[in-house]
Each structure stands twice: as C-alpha cells, then as structure tokens.
Amino acid sequence: MSADTEKTSSEAVKGLKGIIAADSSICLVNGTEGKLLYRGYNIDDLAENATFEEVSFLLLNGELPNESQLADYQNELKKHRSIPAELIDTLKNLPESAPPMALLRSLTSLAGVYDPDAEEESYEKRLEISIKLISQIPTMVAAIHRIRKGLEPVEPDSSLCHAGNFMYMLNGEKPSEDATRAMDLILTLHAEHGLNASTFTSRVIIATLPDIYSAITGAIGALKGKLHGGANTEVLKTLFEIGSIENITPYIKNVRENKGKFMGFGHAVYQVEDPRAKHLKELSRRLGEETGEPKWYEMSIEMEKQVYAEIKRNCNVDFYSASLQHYMGIPGDLFTCIFASSRIAGWCAHILEQLDGNKIIRPKANYIGYEERSYVPVSQR
Ligand SMILES: CC(=O)SCCNC(=O)CCNC(=O)[C@H](O)C(C)(C)COP(=O)(O)OP(=O)(O)OC[C@H]1O[C@@H](n2cnc3c(N)ncnc32)[C@H](O)[C@@H]1OP(=O)(O)O
Ligand SMILES: O=C([O-])CC(=O)C(=O)O
C-alpha cells in the first residue's frame, strides 16, 4: 500500500492552517499583533521610505542595497524590461475578453519558452531570471491592458524608475510624481507575505525542480482566485453594485442571508488589522479628494465599519487597494495583475530559498475512501 491508501486515524488540518511547512528568513507575518516584516524591516518603514527597487532587492538578496548595488540593480531591471515580440504577437491573437490574469498566466508560461536560459540551474542564472521576471511582468500587464483596448503596447522608458515606467507603459503618458509614488507604494505593500497560497504554490512547483517560469505560472494561477489576490477585483465590483452609502446595510443583510462572503475582509493569518490596509486607506482618501470623487472611499469606510460589526473581521490588503486603484485609473479586472507585478518579488525570493537545500514537498492525505474491493466488469455494474 502506498502512503495515501494506508488507513490512518490522524485527522487532516483543513487548509493546512497553522502547519509549519518551511523555514524561511524572508518575511514575518505576526497575525496577533498585526505586524509584517520583510527581512526584518517593518512594512511601515518600507512603505514610508523605500522604493520597490529597494524592496525587491531586499527580498531577493536579504539586505537593503547600498547606492552602487541599487544603481546596478536598477540598470539590470531596465535592461530586461522589453518582452519578446512573439509574446505581443500571441497576445494580439488571444481573445480580448479573456480575464487579464488568464492572459498573464499564459504569457508568463510562453516567456519561459522564449527564454534560452529558462532551464539553467546555477544560482546566478536563477537570480537573473528572477530579476528578468520582476522587470517583465509589468511589461506583460501593460501590454495586456493596451492591446485589449485596441492600443499598441508602449515601449519601456529607461529614464523612468520601475513604478514610473509601469504607469507610463499602462497609460502612454509620463506619470506625475504622485502617480509614480502611488504605484510604488502598491508594489511595496503587496510584494511579500510569507507562505500565502500563491507563494506556497510556487514553492511546491519549484521543489520538483522544473524551471522558474513553471513555478511562477502556477503562482499566478493561485493568485487569480477570488479568495486570494482576485479579491481586489471583486471589491470594486461590490462597490459598483452597491452604488451608494444608503445601500450598504441592505447589501450586508443580503450577503448574510445568502451565506455569502464579504470580499476584501478576513484573513488566514491576521486576527487584528492588516498593517498594510492603513497605507492604502490613506492614499485612497487623498486620491478620492483629489479626483473629486470621494464616494468610493467614503463607501469603503462605511463598509469597513458595518462589515466589522456584522462578522468581526477586519479588511485585508485587497479592500482599500480597490478604491485606490480605481482612482488611479486602473480598470478593476486588472487589479490582480498589478498585485502579481508586485508579488513576483516575493515568489522569486521564496523560489530561491526553496532551492537552497531543496526537498520535494509531498504531504499525505488522510484516506477516507473505500477499503480494497474487487473490480467489477462493466457488463455487471
Ligand atoms: C491577499 C489575500 O489573499 S488577502 C485575502 C483575500 N480574500 C478575500 O478577501 C476573500 C474573503 N475572505 C475570505 O474568504 C476569508 O476570510 C479568507 C479566505 C481570506 C481566510 O479564510 P480563513 O483562513 O478560513 O479565515 P477564518 O478562519 O477567519 O474563516 C472562518 C469563517 O469565518 C467567516 N468569514 C471569514 N471571512 C469572511 C468574509 N470575508 N465574509 C464572510 N464570512 C467570512 C466564514 O464563515 C469562514 O468560514 P468559511 O470559509 O468556511 O466560509
Ligand atoms: O498571506 C495570505 O494568506 C494572503 C496574502 O497573500 C496576503 O495577505 O498578502
């Protein structure tokens, strides 16, 4: 009998909640204190002071870069920004109606096919592929955004920083300093979060020793789900569906009566406020004022209050990122792709960590099926 078919009395831990599945020095998520550290640095410090270039370097390498390391890293990111023309050609032939995350998942897989280094196994090459992916996922996302709007993709601009260039490739216009900072903050806050579902997926895949593109393609698939990264898209849909503050109470009643879920609320780890939410909330407030459309922010504030009163769950990172990204002119169905453009840094850091002293990840199921039984020929069933 294989391990899976052995009868066992032990019970499965649903969702593997609380199970320690790896040693990791990348990120601490303290769910009772509401504290998040990337490589020991508090997310509040990073949100206020660091750029995504510094944060992604930190996640990959374990330390913040000094000036010359940062300059080299920025140059490397810039060098890799363009994606193969074949990806653009393929994208133009894929259905425009496909969800952007499905397009991103497909393009990432295809990028691996066109990367001559994809199967390289040295640490140096794997680090280079990681940097390439951190650089190119935003280029893919911007191309997806523009092509489905019937526009040509915009070539990257090497005079712009990572976040500024991302905004530029999305909109075709040089972004303001404020818009660049807003994107930088979103990228910093979403970059890493321990063994969440998509990161765990990336580690499970890389542990079988395929190539990094395979692991990232799988991670994008996991992030797409609405219980994970896909929740931000659902939050904006919810706000639009509710439409005004007066409709929040009946909406909540309806969700409860139908045993539904409040998207952007609850968390597998945080029992207190998600430490990232306040940063997104404050920026959403500011942009709501600046755009003269404070309604979505104000509705979010009221939702937060009423949902907490109803289910005693705080909002998570996906909640205020919805109104915020809406104010930034990003369409709702692209939000999860923006999330992926950030979380790629965490995924790659975990992939490199997993490969250092790798062991295949293979838990065991508590078999609850039939005892052994005899095959019955089809004519006798
Ligand atoms: C980047 C991220 O991935 S952050 C999370 C993004 N996802 C969402 O916002 C989707 C809505 N939230 C949820 O579905 C959940 O809170 C999750 C998936 C995030 C966490 O799930 P769990 O770890 O099971 O959380 P928890 O133990 O608190 O949930 C227990 C019960 O509380 C209730 N609950 C938790 N969150 C919610 C919610 N948002 N709305 C309604 N009820 C909820 C449910 O009854 C849940 O049981 P169920 O999942 O069987 O329906
Ligand atoms: O950690 C989790 O379970 C979900 C996640 O990715 C995040 O909150 O950023």
Side-chain angles (χ1 to χ4, degrees):
M1 272 191 190
S2 75
D4 262 349
T5 54
E6 275 168 34
K7 267 278 179 202
T8 155
S9 60
S10 63
E11 272 184 31
V13 178
K14 231 180 164 187
L16 299 182
K17 206 159 188 172
I19 299 289
I20 294 171
D23 287 331
S24 178
S25 57
I26 302 170
C27 174
L28 176 84
V29 185
N30 183 325
T32 47
E33 288 175 29
K35 192 159 147 179
L36 172 59
L37 310 180
Y38 293 174
R39 301 275 191 192
Y41 293 97
N42 193 299
I43 194 64
D44 294 335
D45 269 355
L46 295 171
E48 269 160 44
N49 301 303
T51 61
F52 179 70
E53 284 98 322
E54 288 175 273
V55 165
S56 56
F57 182 100
L58 170 70
L59 291 171
L60 290 178
N61 299 292
E63 296 296 337
L64 283 167
N66 62 29
E67 276 180 14
S68 80
Q69 287 169 326
L70 182 59
D72 289 349
Y73 180 64
Q74 283 166 328
N75 283 336
E76 220 186 323
L77 284 170
K78 286 178 183 173
K79 181 180 92 187
H80 288 303
R81 277 178 184 168
S82 293
I83 55 175
E86 290 85 349
L87 265 62
I88 303 288
D89 293 343
T90 303
L91 194 51
K92 287 181 175 168
N93 287 306
L94 292 173
E96 281 164 29
S97 58
M101 278 296 276
L103 295 171
L104 181 63
R105 186 193 60 219
S106 305
L107 282 193
T108 304
S109 177
L110 199 59
V113 174
Y114 286 106
D115 184 346
D117 288 343
E119 306 297 330
E120 293 281 346
E121 294 190 336
S122 68
Y123 173 78
E124 290 70 26
K125 279 290 178 193
R126 282 170 167 158
L127 180 62
E128 191 184 329
I129 291 169
S130 300
I131 296 169
K132 206 183 289 180
L133 276 161
I134 292 170
S135 179
Q136 291 187 358
I137 294 275
T139 312
M140 293 183 212
V141 171
I144 289 168
H145 173 60
R146 292 187 66 85
I147 288 173
R148 72 188 180 133
K149 279 173 57 182
L151 300 168
E152 275 303 308
V154 173
E155 280 298 312
D157 181 334
S158 61
S159 71
L160 297 171
C161 70
H162 186 79
N165 176 62
F166 192 10
M167 289 300 280
Y168 171 65
M169 291 189 299
L170 286 168
N171 300 325
E173 283 168 20
K174 297 259 171 91
S176 66
E177 211 174 290
D178 277 357
T180 301
R181 284 232 305 279
M183 177 56 86
D184 217 335
L185 182 74
I186 288 175
L187 295 177
T188 293
L189 292 176
H190 289 80
E192 161 60 8
H193 212 254
L195 276 201
N196 58 84
S198 55
T199 302
F200 187 55
T201 302
S202 75
R203 288 188 78 130
V204 170
I205 296 176
I206 206 64
T208 72
L209 302 183
D211 60 294
I212 293 183
Y213 290 90
S214 297
I216 298 298
T217 302
I220 292 172
L223 188 74
K224 179 173 179 286
K226 53 185 145 204
L227 294 188
H228 189 17
N232 50 16
T233 293
E234 298 301 313
V235 171
L236 192 69
K237 275 192 213 160
T238 304
L239 292 174
F240 284 173
E241 186 192 326
I242 296 174
S244 65
I245 289 202
E246 312 78 75
N247 296 337
I248 291 176
T249 308
Y251 172 84
I252 289 177
K253 189 164 172 272
N254 190 272
V255 170
R256 293 295 275 164
E257 278 169 9
N258 291 293
K259 301 198 184 321
K261 286 241 162 137
F262 298 104
M263 290 295 141
F265 288 88
H267 198 277
V269 184
Y270 294 121
Q271 292 149 40
V272 293
E273 203 177 279
D274 182 327
R276 300 160 296 180
K278 60 183 178 294
H279 297 283
L280 297 164
K281 182 174 178 174
E282 169 56 17
L283 196 51
S284 172
R285 185 195 63 74
R286 267 187 32 216
L287 294 196
E289 258 173 30
E290 280 169 33
T291 55
E293 216 191 356
K295 168 178 163 175
W296 307 111
Y297 167 75
E298 287 164 1
M299 280 179 65
S300 303
I301 291 281
E302 188 56 30
M303 275 286 286
E304 188 189 359
K305 246 190 256 157
Q306 292 198 27
V307 172
Y308 185 82
E310 187 67 30
I311 64 165
K312 300 287 174 289
R313 293 288 185 289
N314 292 288
C315 67
N316 58 50
V317 72
D318 286 320
F319 187 64
Y320 281 99
S321 85
S323 51
L324 169 58
Q325 291 187 72
H326 175 62
Y327 289 136
M328 290 167 71
I330 298 168
D333 64 353
L334 205 71
F335 292 174
T336 317
C337 286
I338 306 289
F339 192 153
S341 305
S342 163
R343 189 56 60 87
I344 180 66
W347 292 333
C348 288
H350 277 270
I351 284 170
L352 295 174
E353 186 176 69
Q354 177 66 36
L355 286 167
D356 183 15
N358 182 53
K359 184 154 179 77
I360 195 163
I361 298 172
R362 204 306 187 182
K364 170 177 163 182
N366 179 33
Y367 181 67
I368 55 164
Y370 291 108
E371 294 290 346
E372 186 171 354
R373 49 187 181 154
S374 301
Y375 175 79
V376 181
V378 67
S379 60
Q380 291 168 36
R381 279 176 232 154

